[in-house]
Amino acid sequence: MKNLRADRWLDVRDALNNAGICMLVGCEPTDVYDLYDQLLPIGRRDGVVAVLGDTNSYPEASFHLKGPLADVVPEVLALGANSRILEDGSIRTYYPGVTVTHTTTGRSIAYGDFSTHSDNNIPLHTKSFSSPFPRLKTRRVLSKADLMSMTDLDIVRLCKTSPSLTDTPLARELSLPPVYILASNIVVKVGPETHLHESEAKATVLVREQTTIPVPAIYRFFRHDGLSYLVMEYVHGDTLDVCWGDLSNWRKLRIAFTLRNYVRQLRRIRTPQTEKQVPGPITDNPSRPLPCYTPALGEYPVNAFTSYSKLRDWMNGRYRVTERLHGEHLGWPPFDDSEPLVFVHGDLCLRNIILGTDNRVWLIDFGCAGIYPRWFEAWGSRDSALFKPPKLWNAARKIAVGDYKTQEGFNGVCQYAFSYGLELSDPGEE
């Protein structure tokens, strides 16, 4: 660089004065001594000074990736816009809601990264920035006859040698239960031995029997060694949390009205529970209701309720608990029981809606479904458990499920008690 003509030095200085990134490849500090006045301000204005190669240290460098130029330059140039090299030489890659760090020792560390103050500002809900999913080697199509000829133990053993749809950095961070790809047309959802998977199977079957909504076929359900196994159809496509940002506004609007039709069909489903107005997960015996597990009631299973009025009174009690914890009157109207209980998916958010390769909109994961107030669907569609809603999703979900702003405000207050005061007694009963 010392051999540059005077006019070229001026060009370099002008470029550095406006640069956000400066990459020094194979340069010793003495080579750029005359440019220090231009290099220092780059870092001060949140820019990056990158040094590549086996050179001496630069105090003003943002990071220094040491190694032969033949190795480090291709490595840097291969990085995507969602990757950074850290000072210790490790590489950090950002995905929607999760950050993965690959250390120089070959170790990979994944952690959830949902804070608005995080460095992770990768756009959500687009395939371009979705976590890369490995190409999975799946078995051939398995006929229903072959599947039904298998014993429960056969399926358990096959799961142990099958790839899992939830084997991703984000899923591992959130401890999501495995969903094994038994064959190219069949998956097996495995979880703790509770009533939830059995209720999910019953809910899915109800939807297939009483509506025209595309949902996975349920083939088998069984329990083995403390776990439950739900065997169902494998729906190929992209969940909306992956592809929503890639869709045109017109396509999003069409999906919103498709979901509106689906929700109306769900609300017309009839069961003994809807006739007797008994809230909770789907059960064959409404006189013995099951504990509730659905986003509108928090992240933990709660009481079984024998009647609509029991649910109403309990929810109003949780609202009063929150007011006591905050020490003030919060001003929302009480629990709205003005409409009858209906069938509700319960978790109708982006990750549970698939735009299939057959171009149809599929609903999956009825694990939170049950007989609840229709505004519970609005709360479950918020997609607030993990990500802030992407552009136009709030508008789309209100088209699909209705606008229940007041009820969501009431339930937002109750959520605090679900997390911090679930065991506290109702102040109104003291």
Side-chain angles (χ1 to χ4, degrees):
M1 295 184 69
K2 291 181 180 180
N3 296 325
L4 287 176
R5 300 194 317 265
D7 58 331
R8 299 299 294 160
W9 271 109
L10 291 176
D11 290 340
V12 172
R13 289 177 183 275
D14 288 342
L16 290 176
N17 284 336
N18 298 298
I21 300 175
C22 175
M23 190 176 295
L24 302 175
V25 182
C27 296
E28 290 290 348
T30 53
D31 295 332
V32 294
Y33 179 80
D34 292 334
L35 295 176
Y36 272 23
D37 289 343
Q38 278 71 41
L39 293 176
L40 290 173
I42 293 177
R44 293 173 186 160
R45 57 177 180 261
D46 295 326
V48 174
V49 177
V51 181
L52 309 183
D54 285 324
T55 66
N56 292 321
S57 298
Y58 284 72
E60 45 289 304
S62 303
F63 66 80
H64 189 167
L65 186 61
K66 291 195 174 186
L69 292 180
D71 294 334
V72 299
V73 172
E75 183 177 2
V76 171
L77 295 180
L79 293 178
N82 54 347
S83 299
R84 291 177 57 188
I85 301 178
L86 305 183
E87 292 183 7
D88 61 359
S90 59
I91 297 176
R92 180 169 294 169
T93 305
Y94 299 109
Y95 305 108
V98 66
T99 295
V100 180
T101 300
H102 306 279
T103 68
T104 53
T105 61
R107 183 185 179 200
S108 293
I109 305 168
Y111 59 92
D113 199 354
F114 314 120
S115 169
T116 55
H117 302 291
S118 167
D119 288 337
N120 188 348
N121 58 0
I122 297 301
L124 306 178
H125 313 293
T126 62
K127 286 195 282 187
S128 302
F129 289 101
S130 298
S131 300
F133 203 89
R135 185 179 296 276
L136 300 176
K137 294 182 179 180
T138 58
R139 300 180 181 88
R140 61 177 176 80
V141 171
L142 193 62
S143 71
K144 189 173 181 180
D146 288 339
L147 178 65
M148 300 312 292
S149 68
M150 293 181 179
T151 66
D152 293 349
L153 189 56
D154 288 336
I155 294 176
V156 171
R157 287 170 176 166
L158 277 179
C159 286
K160 293 179 180 179
T161 58
S162 298
S164 172
L165 283 172
T166 55
D167 188 17
T168 65
L170 181 57
R172 288 193 294 271
E173 174 63 26
L174 298 177
S175 300
L176 297 181
V179 179
Y180 294 108
I181 307 175
L182 207 65
S184 60
N185 61 325
I186 295 172
V187 294
V188 182
K189 189 174 183 179
V190 181
E193 189 175 334
T194 67
H195 68 276
L196 294 176
H197 277 176
E198 185 173 8
S199 296
E200 177 180 356
K202 291 178 179 178
T204 308
V205 169
L206 269 177
V207 175
R208 286 183 64 87
E209 290 177 346
Q210 297 192 32
T211 77
T212 60
I213 301 170
V215 297
I218 300 297
Y219 298 127
R220 291 176 67 166
F221 171 79
F222 63 90
R223 295 182 175 90
H224 176 80
D225 198 20
L227 295 173
S228 62
Y229 292 76
L230 181 57
V231 186
M232 67 182 86
E233 178 184 4
Y234 182 12
V235 178
H236 293 266
D238 293 311
T239 53
L240 290 190
D241 66 319
V242 169
C243 68
W244 182 261
D246 296 318
L247 304 177
S248 68
N249 289 348
W250 174 244
R251 188 65 182 278
K252 292 173 183 175
L253 185 64
R254 289 179 58 192
I255 290 174
F257 277 97
T258 298
L259 294 174
R260 179 185 178 91
N261 172 267
Y262 290 177
V263 170
R264 288 185 172 188
Q265 290 190 60
L266 293 177
R267 290 171 177 171
R268 291 197 294 267
I269 289 176
R270 293 293 175 263
T271 73
Q273 278 176 269
T274 59
E275 300 307 315
K276 296 185 177 181
Q277 290 291 279
V278 176
I282 302 301
T283 176
D284 295 330
N285 186 359
S287 64
R288 300 183 63 183
L290 299 170
C292 297
Y293 180 72
T294 195
L297 297 176
E299 57 183 314
Y300 306 109
V302 298
N303 306 339
F305 301 100
T306 56
S307 67
Y308 197 174
S309 61
K310 294 286 187 183
L311 172 62
R312 176 201 63 205
D313 294 344
W314 184 80
M315 288 283 284
N316 283 330
R318 293 306 91 194
Y319 181 90
R320 289 188 287 267
V321 165
T322 299
E323 287 191 322
R324 167 169 285 191
L325 291 172
H326 282 276
E328 60 179 325
H329 179 63
L330 298 175
W332 290 97
F335 181 93
D336 180 10
D337 60 353
S338 61
E339 297 177 306
L341 299 176
V342 295
F343 185 100
V344 168
H345 179 283
D347 198 15
L348 196 62
C349 57
L350 294 159
R351 65 184 176 274
N352 289 330
I353 304 166
I354 292 180
L355 187 56
T357 53
D358 59 0
N359 215 32
R360 292 193 294 171
V361 179
W362 292 70
L363 302 188
I364 61 170
D365 195 351
F366 284 79
C368 297
I371 309 304
Y372 296 108
R374 62 178 60 199
W375 58 266
F376 273 30
E377 200 77 274
W379 183 269
S381 70
R382 290 161 57 98
D383 206 18
S384 57
L386 200 58
F387 305 127
K388 61 182 180 180
K391 185 179 180 181
L392 294 182
W393 174 246
N394 261 333
R397 74 180 187 89
K398 289 178 181 179
I399 290 173
V401 306
D403 190 352
Y404 291 96
K405 181 178 179 181
T406 300
Q407 294 87 340
E408 289 183 38
F410 166 85
N411 204 48
V413 173
C414 293
Q415 295 292 317
Y416 189 86
F418 297 156
S419 297
Y420 302 103
L422 196 59
E423 303 301 324
L424 297 180
S425 60
D426 178 3
E429 297 178 348
E430 295 177 355

